[in-house]
């Protein structure tokens, strides 16, 4: 253990302060940042293994960037190809390989392989090429590893993954992917991030019958059993990581998402990305759209297709700005979930989005966020002169494509989507679709909570975001 505590400049590495002020708001307890500052040799050579084991350590492996001197010093001669590549050249080479893959799963596997080999190069590639490597294309890029100094947790139970439904424990890619953006876009150190999937079973019959399914083979726990498990989890998180650990709820089903947020928002630092993150980024989009359509938020009609987590969350945040309500036919009130009831108002039931009484203004703004199946999906619903926010993920589940929006509106629509679409040419003009993706909100929002020492998330913070 002597080499582990080797002194640097007269002080123990365990006593080093984070004088550089780096690391995404996480204290540099072990001197990682200091140890790698202005050193020509591999960081932590005083304590990490050399040779083959060094190449298997993703935190310290530099791949072809090891110099001849370093290869000799660390017994790497003969274990690497002869070529010497800088980090930039390695990144360029890997991006060339990634772009040649036609199947997204192949890109994902290549990224996972890189993360397990060379962590610093992985994050450099991800940060420099976010759109190519992540948004809308790669949702699962990181691997869970245990650390003591945890600052942010993204947790799911896998019941409502994007537009794919109940994936059980196989929903782990969502918290892993979200946390990669905390690092790539928010600057939070990866060792301070913890992805968690709470496996309470699955109601997906196909998974239950799959001999290779690795999760709990039972129908989902519900009611008291589920509530007690979540209580135990939330209590353990605070006990182990403290009052200021941020917990982001992700892709819980409606019937649990609102209950969990209401239950823990007064006792823990929590927020729900589907409810609150989506609301923040959509409200930002609406405010930006006003520059083109004119007027104030209160001058417009907001029409929602679907009243799930995102729809009602967006409505709540808009209502805070304009004190306006009315989304759901009140005759349904007795059968509505509690989070939908505040938006019920007198109106004849309508089955189609087009032709209803709210669908009358050229300045209407439609926020679409739904997960319909089969013929009930919202794809193909449109109106010629509106702002369109087609928010469902993945791209195949989007309620409207960019091409449809621009074609139907003859180029007059303001379009944004939850998944990426390519630019569209119409009548000789190129339209670049906007992306209403939560990545614009939660990484920076979470970093702000961590840095400020906030212990509770209030609605005014979301409005500010």
């Amino acid at each position: 253990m002597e080499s582990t505590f080797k002194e640097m400049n007269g002080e123990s590495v365990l006593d080093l302060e984070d004088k550089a002020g780096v690391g995404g708001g996480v204290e540099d307890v072990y001197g990682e940042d200091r140890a790698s500052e202005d050193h020509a040799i591999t960081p932590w050579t005083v304590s990490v293994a050399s040779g083959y084991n060094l190449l298997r350590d993703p935190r310290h492996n530099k791949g072809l960037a090891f110099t001849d001197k370093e290869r000799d010093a660390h017994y790497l001669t003969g274990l690497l190809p002869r070529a010497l590549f800088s980090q930039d050249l390695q990144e360029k080479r890997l991006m060339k390989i990634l772009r040649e893959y036609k199947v997204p799963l192949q890109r994902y596997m290549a990224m996972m392989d890189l993360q397990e080999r060379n962590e610093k190069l992985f994050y450099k590639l991800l940060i420099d090429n976010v759109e190519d490597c992540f948004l809308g294309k790669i949702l699962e890029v990181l691997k869970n590893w245990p650390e003591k100094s945890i600052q942010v947790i993204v947790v799911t139970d896998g019941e409502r993954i994007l537009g794919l439904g109940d994936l059980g424990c196989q929903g782990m890619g969502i918290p892993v992917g979200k946390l990669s953006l905390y690092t790539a876009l928010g600057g939070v150190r990866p060792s301070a991030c913890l992805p968690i999937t709470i496996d309470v079973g699955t109601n997906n019959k196909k998974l239950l019958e799959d001999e290779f399914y690795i999760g709990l083979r039972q129908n989902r726990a519900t009611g008291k059993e589920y509530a007690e498990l979540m209580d135990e989890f939330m209590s353990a998180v605070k006990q182990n990581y403290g009052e200021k650990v941020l917990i982001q709820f992700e892709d819980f089903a409606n019937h649990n998402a609102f209950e969990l947020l209401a239950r823990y928002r007064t006792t823990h630092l929590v927020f729900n990305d589907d409810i609150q993150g989506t609301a923040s980024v959509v409200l930002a989009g609406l405010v930006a759209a006003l520059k083109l359509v004119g007027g104030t938020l209160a001058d417009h009609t907001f029409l929602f297709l679907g009243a799930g987590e995102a729809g009602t969350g967006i409505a709540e945040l808009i209502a805070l700005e304009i004190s306006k309500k009315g989304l759901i036919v009140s005759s349904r009130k007795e059968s509505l979930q509690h989070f939908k009831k505040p938006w019920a108002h007198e109106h004849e039931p309508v089955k189609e989005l087009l032709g209803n009484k709210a669908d009358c203004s050229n300045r209407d703004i439609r926020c679409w966020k739904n997960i319909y199946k089969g013929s009930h999906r919202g794809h193909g619903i449109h109106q010629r002169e509106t702002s369109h926010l087609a928010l469902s993920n993945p791209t195949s589940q989007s309620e409207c494509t960019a091409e449809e929006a621009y074609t139907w509106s003859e180029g007059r629509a303001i379009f944004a989507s939850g998944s990426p679409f390519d630019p569209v040419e119409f009548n000789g003009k190129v339209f670049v679709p906007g992306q209403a993706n939560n990545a614009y909100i939660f990484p920076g929002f979470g970093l702000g909570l961590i840095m400020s020492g906030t212990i509770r998330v209030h609605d005014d913070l979301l409005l500010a975001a």
Side-chain angles (χ1 to χ4, degrees):
M1 293 296 292
E2 183 179 352
S3 63
T4 303
F5 299 96
K6 183 175 180 179
E7 294 191 355
M8 301 175 64
N9 299 323
E11 56 184 341
S12 169
V13 293
L14 296 183
D15 295 328
L16 289 176
E17 297 179 3
D18 186 13
K19 298 176 182 177
V22 296
V26 182
E27 184 181 1
D28 189 16
V29 178
Y30 299 105
E32 285 182 71
D33 298 322
R34 181 79 171 276
S36 59
E37 263 188 326
D38 300 323
H39 281 248
I41 61 174
T42 308
W44 281 100
T45 55
V46 293
S47 60
V48 300
S50 295
Y52 179 72
N53 288 332
L54 176 56
L55 295 180
R56 293 176 63 85
D57 184 341
R59 291 195 177 184
H60 307 300
N61 179 27
K62 293 165 57 176
L64 296 178
F66 281 115
T67 65
D68 286 338
K69 183 178 179 181
E70 289 171 334
R71 296 183 190 199
D72 287 339
H74 304 303
Y75 306 98
L76 299 175
T77 303
L79 301 182
L80 291 167
R82 186 63 192 90
L84 297 177
F85 284 6
S86 66
Q87 292 282 69
D88 287 339
L89 188 57
Q90 287 191 88
E91 177 186 356
K92 183 178 179 180
R93 174 176 173 268
L94 285 168
M95 282 307 302
K96 180 178 183 296
I97 293 173
L98 287 175
R99 291 187 177 115
E100 289 175 352
Y101 289 130
K102 303 302 181 184
V103 180
L105 181 60
Q106 293 175 319
R107 292 194 291 271
Y108 158 68
M109 294 298 292
M111 290 290 289
M112 287 295 291
D113 182 58
L114 175 61
Q115 187 271 332
E116 293 177 356
R117 294 193 327 267
N118 189 333
E119 186 177 275
K120 290 188 177 180
L121 180 58
F122 167 81
Y123 278 108
K124 185 178 189 306
L125 185 144
L126 184 61
I127 291 169
D128 292 343
N129 304 275
V130 171
E131 292 187 359
D132 286 333
C133 295
F134 196 90
L135 293 182
K137 298 179 181 179
I138 300 180
L139 295 172
E140 307 160 341
V141 293
L142 285 181
K143 178 182 178 182
N144 184 20
W145 65 90
E147 294 285 346
K148 292 183 179 179
S149 183
I150 298 300
Q151 297 285 308
V152 57
I153 292 171
V154 176
V155 60
T156 187
D157 68 358
E159 187 168 6
R160 198 224 61 174
I161 301 298
L162 296 177
L164 306 176
D166 187 347
L167 297 186
C169 74
Q170 294 179 173
M172 186 59 166
I174 293 297
V176 170
K178 291 286 184 176
L179 285 171
S180 73
L181 284 186
Y182 266 103
T183 295
L185 302 182
V188 180
R189 185 184 300 181
S191 61
C193 300
L194 178 61
I196 294 177
T197 293
I198 299 178
D199 188 0
V200 296
T202 177
N203 295 335
N204 187 325
K205 185 178 179 181
K206 184 177 180 180
L207 291 179
L208 292 174
E209 294 175 351
D210 184 349
E211 63 176 318
F212 299 115
Y213 178 61
I214 61 175
L216 192 61
R217 290 180 182 272
Q218 66 174 47
N219 287 331
R220 286 185 168 275
T222 59
K224 183 180 180 181
E225 181 182 11
Y226 183 88
E228 289 178 348
L229 177 62
M230 291 303 302
D231 275 342
E232 182 177 350
F233 166 72
M234 297 297 290
S235 176
V237 165
K238 183 184 285 190
Q239 181 178 347
N240 290 336
Y241 302 120
E243 185 81 21
K244 296 180 181 179
V245 62
L246 172 61
I247 304 170
Q248 177 175 318
F249 293 125
E250 195 71 40
D251 283 355
F252 286 82
N254 287 347
H255 56 271
N256 287 323
F258 287 91
E259 294 289 348
L260 291 173
L261 184 59
R263 183 177 181 87
Y264 299 113
R265 67 184 305 174
T266 58
T267 60
H268 292 70
L269 180 63
V270 300
F271 83 102
N272 185 298
D273 187 43
D274 303 298
I275 299 172
Q276 298 166 295
T278 302
S280 293
V281 76
V282 167
L283 182 57
L286 296 180
V287 171
L290 292 178
K291 297 176 182 179
L292 294 177
V293 299
T296 66
L297 287 175
D299 295 329
H300 295 272
T301 299
F302 299 89
L303 184 61
F304 292 76
L305 176 60
E309 296 171 45
T312 53
I314 295 167
E316 288 279 0
L317 209 58
I318 293 175
L320 287 176
E321 289 281 279
I322 63 175
S323 300
K324 208 171 178 69
K325 67 179 182 178
L327 288 179
I328 303 170
V329 178
S330 61
S331 60
R332 292 181 54 207
K333 203 164 187 176
E334 295 304 316
S335 63
L336 293 176
Q337 292 164 296
H338 68 88
F339 60 88
K340 298 180 181 180
K341 291 183 178 180
W343 307 105
H345 69 292
E346 292 299 331
H347 195 291
E348 289 297 316
V350 292
K351 294 183 179 180
E352 301 293 336
L353 185 64
L354 297 181
N356 66 75
K357 294 180 180 179
D359 187 24
C360 58
S361 169
N362 287 345
R363 287 183 172 180
D364 286 352
I365 299 176
R366 281 156 187 76
C367 301
W368 294 333
K369 179 67 175 174
N370 66 98
I371 301 173
Y372 286 141
K373 296 181 179 179
S375 62
H376 296 290
R377 258 187 56 225
H379 183 83
I381 297 173
H382 64 280
Q383 175 67 10
R384 282 182 177 269
E385 297 175 324
T386 66
S387 296
H388 296 261
L389 290 93
L391 302 177
S392 285
N393 288 312
T395 305
S396 61
Q397 297 292 318
S398 183
E399 293 80 2
C400 174
T401 69
E403 183 177 9
E404 289 169 338
Y406 293 126
T407 300
W408 290 329
S409 67
E410 297 178 353
R412 293 192 295 270
I414 301 173
F415 178 85
S417 60
S419 296
F421 284 97
D422 293 330
V424 175
E425 183 175 352
F426 181 81
N427 283 346
K429 184 178 180 180
V430 176
F431 296 87
V432 180
Q435 194 170 343
N437 192 290
N438 290 15
Y440 289 113
I441 289 291
F442 72 82
F445 185 67
L447 178 62
L449 295 173
I450 293 170
M451 293 180 66
S452 63
T454 301
I455 60 173
R456 300 291 180 267
V457 174
H458 300 287
D459 288 334
D460 55 348
L461 301 181
L462 296 162
L463 283 175

